[in-house]
Amino acid sequence: MVIGIAADHGGYELKQMIRQHLEQQRFTIIDFGAYLLNTADDYPDFVLPLAEAVGGGKADRGIAVCGSGVGACIAANKVKGVRAALISEHFSAHQGVEDDDMNLICLGGRVVGVNAAIEFVDAFLAAKYSGAARHERRLAKVKKIEGP
Ligand code: RB5
């Protein structure tokens, strides 16, 4: 599985820890930055390339971190093919994939601790979309919003 990760300064430290965690596993990681802590950087500069990779199929799943996770989530969901959500608890980290085919999670580096964040990431990456008819029907309605 190819996993894209990205963060601005508000999520930089957590992104580095998540990256370290994922490197110990079987994933291929694409890091879209930031590569340095720069308090003047802007989350769209990192989140949009990540979202384009996920939406375009270059990455299977994405993890975006900013201070709250909110800006990252707003930006990521503007990209076609991306189904992003701000995750702050375990249930939604996997249920969002199982029911809604979520392909990008957003985390708040100033909100969640590293251990909780890693649990959410692991649950997200282990989860599989069920493909159940009712979810397909709902997703088709969501995809219609994106247009052709
Ligand atoms: C940056 O200070 C902060 O606003 C940003 O990381 C994020 O929380 C935005 O949603």
Side-chain angles (χ1 to χ4, degrees), residues 85-144:
L86 174 56
I87 296 298
S88 58
E89 38 73 32
H90 188 270
F91 176 75
S92 303
H94 61 89
Q95 198 250 14
V97 178
E98 291 153 2
D99 289 11
D100 309 311
D101 205 12
M102 172 172 72
N103 54 13
L104 197 155
I105 59 168
C106 304
L107 299 165
R110 294 171 180 159
V111 180
V112 286
V114 61
N115 292 318
I118 282 173
E119 268 198 44
F120 305 158
V121 165
D122 286 347
F124 166 59
L125 296 179
K128 287 184 177 52
Y129 174 52
S130 73
R134 67 188 186 284
H135 298 310
E136 283 287 284
R137 185 181 69 237
R138 291 160 191 161
L139 264 181
K141 292 180 182 181
V142 172
K143 284 179 184 165
K144 226 169 148 187

Side-chain angles (χ1 to χ4, degrees), residues 8-11 39 41 43 65-72 110:
D8 71 350
H9 58 280
T39 55
D41 68 12
Y43 61 81
V65 196
C66 66
S68 62
V70 172
R110 294 171 180 159

